[in-house]
Amino acid sequence: MASKPGILTEWPWANLGNFKYLVLVPFVGHSIYSFLLEGDIGYIAILPFLLFRFIHNQIWISLSRHRTAKGNNRIVDRSIEFDQVDRENSWDDQIIFNGLLYYIGYLRMEQVHHLPLWRTDGLIITVLAHIGPVEFIYYWFHRALHHHFLYSRYHSHHHSSIVTQPISAFIHPFAELASYYAIFSVPVIATEFTGTTSVATITLYVIVSDFMNNLGHCNFEVIPKWMFSLFPPLKYLIYTPSYHSLHHTQFRTNYSLFMPIYDYIFGTMDKSSDTLYEKSLEKKAEVPDVVHLTHLTTLQSIYHLRLGFSSLASNPHMTSSKWYLWLMWPVTLWSIVITWIYSHTFVIERNLFKDLKLQTWAIPKFRKQYFSQWQRKSINNLIKEAIMEADQKGVKVLSLGLLNQAKKLNNNGEIYIRKHPELKVKVVDGSSLVVAVVLNSIPKGTSQVVLQTRRLSKVANAIALALCQRGIQVVTLDEEEYKGLKARVTPEAAANLVLSKSTCVSKMWLVDDGLSEDEQLKAPKGTLFIPYSPFPPKKVREDCFYFSTPAMICPKHLQNVDSCENWLPRRVMSASRIAGILHAFEGWNEHECGDMMFDVDRVWKASLDHGFSPLTMSSAIEAKI
């Protein structure tokens, strides 16, 4: 909100929250009825056009987040945080407003029903009306908005986003955006007055305006230099992303809408515009110090990625289930097909931790595909290529994220290390920190825990050994698990291993993601389930508590955090991801993969020394994880 909100800053449907689209429902229903009864194509075509605008903007959002994460041609290197994401989540208000204007205009203006599809003279008038009145009026109105009176009451809300995203273009108070729409209506009025209005003219004007708005706020330079070399006057007729970016960082220059000509005429063109443009074009993709390798989880996780819907990405998966995702099933099914075809990792996020540059790369495979024999070779190749690419780029550490199924595929990356002993990049699965986090999540004074596991992983073995050595009884409910653990611990520690085939009285359970409903029902009321797997178990019991998967709270100096890591709360990072950061900072010169593990206490101390803090049960319950 603006620093001193003026009148009509709130949108009329602000109190409806996620139900704000209901304001369009009566019109949509009436348009469908009119189409079925009278075949009114123009009326019902409004809804597809609004959906097209949404898709158009979303493409820009995803493209911008991907390009700025990679770093090539990035303009501003500053961070985007959750406060900006929350502030910009209302970017679709302008689409609702646009829809209302279209629907009401269609119902009130009979002549709109008989518009021709195309009028060349109408298109020429629209272009001239925009170049002249629209750009001129907007320029001076924009300058007026930067006067302290209007700025503090309206325009400061937009300028809160110093680092812009495409959706930043549409974040304005209601009164301000309504004023913009009034200015943009000049070409429509001109064509209506001259009788040259057409469907294509109005539609193209909105699409081009959306395109230019997204372009100006995308934060990466996209317009090639040859365009200006081929036609030098073009620099006065079309702005570049870097040109408008300067307006958000300098505030008092580059006021023009899409055409810089009025900044040149009235002397408000920033003198560094050309220099920033050149530098942005020359900027290469960023070489990270640490890469975190992850993959897709559920079928709907594509929308929760940072490249997906920002409102979903900025909240934990399990608290972000939206009804409209069920309407996206055609897109979801296509994403499955794409993951079978597309075979390369892609950058989804960048962060900065002190001096370390961090990137997250995603493997385009869903979790269920890791269990498929048909996908085994493809996934192995993707992981191998990611490791080799990281090594070629000079990455220091590559951490394996949700790839717990990689144990079956390649022994947590150990196969690649053996085949390529010359690798300089260190491969880390984070097992040591996972064990440390789990051990330090157990309340002090605990004398007995239940260890449930579907497979005796090195994490489960390490947890059992550490607990037994500390004199804590480790109870297993399966005889095979008991025998397997007993064979892997020292005789002294084995004295604290207990096999219980009946219901256990312990209220402290350490579990993996394979915890079944039947197993959960064996736990007494009030049991605390602590996962040691990167995937949370399915919650069945209302009378029990479910702790977070192994993770820690990030320190404040971790920058550019504007999305959640899967089901974890804001500014909470998985242990496997933290492990890669610690590995690089401490300069540890060993891999942590296969059966290799570090000293658990040393890794835990390093995490605390670098500012990470443990999650508490109260914070876990508060975040509903």
Side-chain angles (χ1 to χ4, degrees):
M1 190 52 63
S3 55
K4 297 179 181 178
I7 59 172
L8 295 178
T9 55
E10 288 281 359
W11 287 79
W13 45 80
N15 292 332
L16 294 178
N18 293 330
F19 296 100
K20 59 187 178 182
Y21 278 92
L22 290 176
V23 301
L24 294 177
V25 169
F27 298 100
V28 173
H30 187 238
S31 66
I32 295 174
Y33 173 79
S34 298
F35 175 74
L36 295 176
L37 193 67
E38 304 172 2
D40 193 339
I41 298 177
Y43 194 17
I44 200 172
I46 295 175
L47 179 60
F49 180 68
L50 297 179
L51 293 175
F52 172 81
R53 288 195 66 201
F54 185 92
I55 294 170
H56 180 199
N57 291 327
Q58 182 58 48
I59 290 172
W60 271 103
I61 294 167
S62 300
L63 178 62
S64 172
R65 289 191 160 200
H66 175 63
R67 285 290 297 269
T68 54
K70 289 179 63 178
N72 49 320
N73 307 126
R74 189 167 61 227
I75 300 168
V76 179
D77 287 326
R78 299 183 193 177
S79 300
I80 293 176
E81 304 292 337
F82 282 112
D83 60 341
Q84 179 171 341
V85 175
D86 292 339
R87 187 176 63 253
E88 295 183 344
N89 273 342
S90 60
W91 67 272
D92 52 348
D93 281 338
Q94 49 92 25
I95 295 181
I96 297 176
F97 186 46
N98 181 227
L100 287 174
L101 293 178
Y102 273 13
Y103 281 123
I104 294 173
Y106 191 87
L107 292 174
R108 294 287 185 179
M109 302 171 65
E110 180 65 27
Q111 64 270 29
V112 175
H113 299 197
H114 310 289
L115 290 178
L117 290 178
W118 178 267
R119 286 287 299 260
T120 303
D121 50 359
L123 180 64
I124 295 173
I125 291 174
T126 298
V127 172
L128 293 176
H130 178 84
I131 293 174
V134 172
E135 288 281 347
F136 181 79
I137 296 172
Y138 177 90
Y139 173 84
W140 285 107
F141 179 64
H142 193 183
R143 287 191 66 170
L145 286 172
H146 277 262
H147 183 276
H148 65 85
F149 181 84
L150 292 178
Y151 186 82
S152 61
R153 286 162 176 76
Y154 298 100
H155 202 50
S156 59
H157 181 61
H158 177 66
H159 272 277
S160 297
S161 303
I162 296 176
V163 183
T164 59
Q165 306 182 85
I167 52 178
S168 303
F170 307 105
I171 304 303
H172 301 282
F174 173 69
E176 184 176 339
L177 195 85
S179 301
Y180 292 150
Y181 270 45
I183 296 172
F184 293 149
S185 68
V186 170
V188 179
I189 295 172
T191 54
E192 179 65 26
F193 182 77
T194 57
T196 57
T197 308
S198 69
V199 174
T201 301
I202 298 174
T203 303
L204 284 174
Y205 188 56
V206 174
I207 292 173
V208 172
S209 296
D210 278 350
F211 180 89
M212 295 302 295
N213 263 317
N214 283 308
L215 174 75
H217 294 82
C218 68
N219 197 32
F220 68 92
E221 191 52 71
V222 65
I223 299 182
K225 194 174 180 180
W226 61 261
M227 290 181 61
F228 297 107
S229 299
L230 194 65
F231 185 62
L234 189 64
K235 66 183 295 185
Y236 304 108
L237 303 178
I238 183 173
Y239 73 172
T240 63
S242 56
Y243 184 92
H244 188 69
S245 178
L246 278 169
H247 176 69
H248 277 263
T249 55
Q250 304 301 320
F251 297 100
R252 297 294 182 180
T253 56
N254 296 6
Y255 291 104
S256 292
L257 178 55
F258 307 139
M259 302 172 61
I261 186 170
Y262 291 105
D263 280 313
Y264 281 93
I265 292 173
F266 298 110
T268 54
M269 192 274 294
D270 196 296
K271 294 180 180 179
S272 62
S273 296
D274 292 340
T275 303
L276 181 61
Y277 171 72
E278 298 276 354
K279 288 183 178 179
S280 300
L281 279 179
E282 295 171 359
K283 188 172 291 185
K284 304 298 182 183
E286 193 169 77
V287 177
D289 300 300
V290 179
V291 165
H292 180 66
L293 192 62
T294 186
H295 64 75
L296 300 169
T297 54
T298 64
L299 293 181
Q300 293 184 343
S301 63
I302 56 171
Y303 309 117
H304 292 267
L305 288 176
R306 189 179 181 275
L307 307 185
F309 297 161
S310 56
S311 60
L312 296 184
S314 61
N315 290 288
H317 282 22
M318 291 186 178
T319 62
S320 303
S321 181
K322 302 295 183 181
W323 59 268
Y324 53 78
L325 292 184
W326 293 103
L327 303 177
M328 301 287 291
W329 268 105
V331 179
T332 307
L333 292 176
W334 268 109
S335 71
I336 300 174
V337 176
I338 293 173
T339 60
W340 281 76
I341 300 172
Y342 187 73
S343 57
H344 193 73
T345 57
F346 55 97
V347 181
I348 60 174
E349 188 173 5
R350 73 178 180 98
N351 306 102
L352 184 67
F353 188 88
K354 297 180 181 177
D355 294 329
L356 281 181
K357 297 176 182 177
L358 317 176
Q359 279 186 357
T360 301
W361 297 357
I363 289 179
K365 299 293 179 182
F366 292 100
R367 184 192 179 195
K368 289 186 177 180
Q369 291 173 306
Y370 278 74
F371 297 94
S372 170
Q373 291 291 333
W374 295 353
Q375 292 285 284
R376 184 181 295 269
K377 182 177 179 181
S378 173
I379 293 173
N380 266 324
N381 287 336
L382 285 170
I383 298 174
K384 176 185 175 181
E385 289 173 5
I387 294 174
M388 301 305 293
E389 181 181 352
D391 188 66
Q392 292 172 2
K393 288 184 175 181
V395 175
K396 297 177 182 178
V397 178
L398 183 141
S399 60
L400 301 174
L402 299 174
L403 308 173
N404 66 333
Q405 300 304 324
K407 174 69 176 178
K408 295 180 180 179
L409 295 172
N410 51 62
N411 203 24
N412 290 331
E414 186 179 28
I415 292 177
Y416 307 131
I417 305 306
R418 289 179 179 177
K419 287 184 178 180
H420 303 279
E422 75 284 357
L423 286 176
K424 294 181 181 179
V425 63
K426 302 305 175 187
V427 180
V428 177
D429 63 16
S431 299
S432 305
L433 186 57
V434 168
V435 173
V437 169
V438 172
L439 292 177
N440 285 277
S441 298
I442 300 173
K444 293 182 179 179
T446 301
S447 59
Q448 186 186 74
V449 302
V450 174
L451 182 64
Q452 175 273 339
T453 179
R454 288 289 182 192
R455 48 193 175 275
L456 291 176
S457 63
K458 71 172 181 177
V459 170
N461 291 329
I463 291 173
L465 177 60
L467 290 173
C468 288
Q469 288 175 339
R470 297 180 183 188
I472 299 176
Q473 273 194 344
V474 177
V475 179
T476 62
L477 306 179
D478 182 86
E479 188 170 356
E480 291 299 320
E481 293 176 10
Y482 173 75
K483 291 179 179 179
L485 288 173
K486 192 171 183 178
R488 289 169 171 81
V489 301
T490 62
E492 295 80 9
N496 285 313
L497 278 176
V498 178
L499 173 62
S500 175
K501 296 185 178 181
S502 60
T503 303
C504 183
V505 297
S506 176
K507 294 186 177 182
M508 189 62 54
W509 285 46
L510 308 182
V511 301
D512 65 11
D513 55 290
L515 181 67
S516 67
E517 181 176 348
D518 290 339
E519 288 172 321
Q520 293 189 44
L521 293 176
K522 293 179 181 180
K525 181 180 179 180
T527 294
L528 172 61
F529 295 109
I530 301 178
Y532 57 84
S533 163
F535 292 93
K538 183 179 180 180
K539 297 179 181 180
V540 175
R541 300 279 297 273
E542 294 291 337
D543 58 350
C544 295
F545 302 100
Y546 295 81
F547 197 59
S548 165
T549 52
M552 300 182 75
I553 301 172
C554 300
K556 292 182 179 180
H557 49 259
L558 178 66
Q559 299 177 31
N560 204 48
V561 183
D562 61 356
S563 62
C564 290
E565 187 178 352
N566 298 302
W567 38 80
L568 295 175
R570 291 182 169 185
R571 296 197 66 84
V572 173
M573 184 179 285
S574 65
S576 59
R577 192 172 174 186
I578 295 171
I581 298 173
L582 300 179
H583 210 87
F585 249 119
E586 295 293 323
W588 293 330
N589 200 33
E590 304 90 6
H591 299 285
E592 187 191 26
C593 53
D595 295 324
M596 173 64 182
M597 285 188 67
F598 298 134
D599 181 82
V600 172
D601 292 330
R602 180 178 67 155
V603 174
W604 179 250
K605 183 179 182 301
S607 68
L608 299 179
D609 289 343
H610 287 290
F612 292 95
S613 55
L615 279 166
T616 61
M617 190 60 212
S618 58
S619 64
I621 295 174
E622 182 181 348
K624 298 181 181 180
I625 56 179

